[in-house]
Amino acid sequence: MNKDASGFLQSKAFAEKKVTWLELFYDLLFVAAVSKASHVLLHVEHGSIPVEYLSKFVLIFIPIWWAWVGQSLFVNRFGRDVLSHRIFLILQLFFVLIMTASLSVDFDQYYIPFLIGYLGLRAMTAIQYLAVHKKEEAHQKAAARYLGSRFWIGLAVSSSSLFFDSWIRYAVLYAGIIIDILLPLIGRKYLVKSPINTHHLLERFSLFTLILLGESVISILAVLQSSRWTWHSVLFAAITFVLIIAMWWQYFDNVEKKVNKTLETAGQTIIYGHLFIYLSMCMIAASIQLLFLEQLNYLFMLCFVFGSVLLYFFSTLLVFHKYRQAHQRLGKYHLAVLLGLLGVFFTLDLLLLVPNYLVIGEVTLFFVVYAKFTT
């Protein structure tokens, strides 16, 4: 090992870790879960999305994201395409089905199956860590033992929610989930010494990003199917298609060409930063439908659309900045131009009542410029 200029460990002989077909099948089952979470944002009352539904969207999405992340990280560090690991993953698929089937804004009615699905997924991952730590050595052994033993803390707290009623039940459930999410950060000293495979991890998160882009494609179809094909609906769909292509170009060109995949880190910027990328992509997908249907009042619509884009911008900036080649990182000039562009569009839209296809056109132009600067 040696260190690059930024202080990160690099491997002298970097070996790529390939995504297996079973991992791809595992991702496929999360498509339905992501879709159900995203559709919570389509609940509109009196021209806005109620805080209740915005909160429920986040509360539904986080367990989905963390359950997927947990298994992906185990495979990244310790996974091998052998029979025992396949059996564990297949068992997890069953719990994914249970959790997905129970996802609903009516938490009380489906609480027990949701809890079984989530706890089953996380317990399988914890057991896998405990199983492999006996076979590993040195730093990898310590990392596996830490994760395999500590994850039970969050599981125990979440399980104890069964003893409570009303809002206390959910507070206890999510307290356990938050503990679970924070444990890798607390144990960073173990994980840095047993670094992730950056190439494999970025590939895994990129595949999940494709799932989220699929939600935006579904939104285009909803636009085209919501009424007769008029010039307005076709124009809106065409501009939105360019938007999705620009988002795809910006994200995947960064991953494929601009990121140093030989860096060996704990990967926590990638892991936690992508939560906000995914949340923003769900919000952008919902914005497409809500913009076209014109169900939101104008001010709320502007804040929701531009807020979603701003969240995506800062999230991708954070995730890719550390891993980009030093000479290819965005500078203050790029940041000023991009934020200025968003600011100008938002201000003009506040002063002038613009049609929905112009708003989506402004967002599209922003992503085209962002893609140009970053790729």
Side-chain angles (χ1 to χ4, degrees):
M1 301 276 185
N2 56 16
K3 288 189 177 182
D4 70 353
S6 62
F8 291 114
L9 289 172
Q10 283 189 302
S11 173
K12 291 181 180 178
F14 178 73
E16 291 186 3
K17 184 183 181 77
K18 293 184 178 180
V19 174
T20 66
W21 292 110
L22 189 54
E23 286 180 88
L24 295 175
F25 185 51
Y26 184 76
D27 291 350
L28 184 63
L29 268 68
F30 276 89
V31 172
V34 167
S35 181
K36 292 184 78 169
S38 299
H39 277 69
V40 174
L41 291 171
L42 299 179
H43 289 79
V44 177
E45 295 179 8
H46 309 297
S48 65
I49 305 171
V51 174
E52 174 192 0
Y53 286 101
L54 289 171
S55 303
K56 285 182 176 180
F57 160 66
V58 176
L59 292 176
I60 289 172
F61 191 87
I62 286 178
I64 295 170
W65 162 79
W66 187 241
W68 179 86
V69 165
Q71 181 59 24
S72 297
L73 286 175
F74 171 81
V75 172
N76 183 273
R77 281 194 172 92
F78 304 106
R80 297 176 181 84
D81 194 14
V82 296
L83 180 60
S84 60
H85 288 197
R86 284 189 175 189
I87 291 172
F88 269 111
L89 201 55
I90 289 168
L91 287 172
Q92 289 201 40
L93 294 175
F94 176 70
F95 287 112
V96 173
L97 287 174
I98 295 174
M99 186 179 73
T100 302
S102 61
L103 292 174
S104 170
V105 292
D106 184 5
F107 282 154
D108 288 328
Q109 184 178 353
Y110 299 99
Y111 184 77
I112 300 298
F114 170 80
L115 190 65
I116 291 172
Y118 176 76
L119 293 180
L121 278 166
R122 297 299 297 138
M124 286 291 106
T125 301
I127 292 170
Q128 283 178 287
Y129 278 116
L130 292 176
V132 301
H133 102 273
K134 300 174 183 177
K135 304 174 184 178
E136 299 295 334
E137 298 178 356
H139 299 310
Q140 287 182 308
K141 183 181 184 73
R145 183 173 58 244
Y146 172 81
L147 294 173
S149 58
R150 301 305 193 277
F151 279 147
W152 294 101
I153 300 172
L155 288 169
V157 173
S158 292
S159 299
S160 67
S161 65
L162 288 170
F163 300 105
F164 300 94
D165 291 318
S166 69
W167 65 269
I168 301 176
R169 167 183 286 184
Y170 300 103
V172 174
L173 168 67
Y174 281 93
I177 294 174
I178 291 170
I179 290 170
D180 214 32
I181 292 172
L182 292 178
L183 282 169
L185 294 171
I186 296 169
R188 180 178 170 80
K189 63 181 180 180
Y190 299 105
L191 304 183
V192 168
K193 295 174 183 177
S194 176
I196 50 92
N197 183 303
T198 302
H199 183 278
H200 176 265
L201 192 68
L202 283 170
E203 189 173 3
R204 297 293 293 123
F205 276 90
S206 298
L207 290 168
F208 203 82
T209 301
L210 278 178
I211 294 174
L212 272 299
L213 277 177
E215 285 300 306
S216 293
V217 173
I218 291 171
S219 292
I220 294 181
L221 295 177
V223 166
L224 292 174
Q225 294 171 354
S226 62
S227 63
R228 281 199 249 162
W229 285 32
T230 63
W231 72 267
H232 177 262
S233 62
V234 171
L235 176 62
F236 188 92
I239 295 172
T240 306
F241 178 73
V242 177
L243 165 63
I244 295 172
I245 295 300
M247 290 178 68
W248 171 86
W249 205 298
Q250 186 278 324
Y251 181 93
F252 287 95
D253 252 29
N254 268 277
V255 171
E256 189 64 28
K257 300 176 182 178
K258 305 298 183 181
V259 172
N260 184 356
K261 300 183 181 70
T262 64
L263 295 180
E264 294 185 351
T265 72
Q268 290 173 341
T269 302
I270 296 172
I271 297 161
Y272 295 99
H274 267 84
L275 170 61
F276 298 98
I277 293 175
Y278 295 155
L279 289 173
S280 64
M281 291 181 74
C282 287
M283 292 166 67
I284 290 170
S287 297
I288 293 169
Q289 288 193 56
L290 295 173
L291 256 176
F292 179 76
L293 297 174
E294 298 181 330
Q295 294 179 341
L296 299 175
N297 72 55
Y298 189 71
L299 180 59
F300 182 90
M301 180 266 291
L302 289 181
C303 292
F304 186 72
V305 171
F306 283 95
S308 305
V309 174
L310 198 62
L311 180 59
Y312 178 91
F313 172 62
F314 281 126
S315 303
T316 50
L317 201 65
L318 170 69
V319 169
F320 291 116
H321 181 77
K322 179 184 286 189
Y323 290 87
R324 285 171 70 90
Q325 306 288 351
H327 65 282
Q328 293 179 332
R329 292 172 182 167
L330 292 184
K332 293 179 180 178
Y333 164 76
H334 303 101
L335 189 63
V337 170
L338 290 165
L339 287 176
L341 194 61
L342 274 182
V344 168
F345 285 152
F346 184 73
T347 303
L348 286 175
D349 292 348
L350 281 177
L351 297 174
L352 304 170
L353 194 67
V354 300
N356 55 12
Y357 59 85
L358 282 182
V359 175
I360 203 70
E362 291 168 348
V363 173
T364 301
L365 180 59
F366 169 81
F367 274 101
V368 169
V369 175
Y370 189 26
K372 174 65 177 176
F373 278 170
T374 54
T375 62

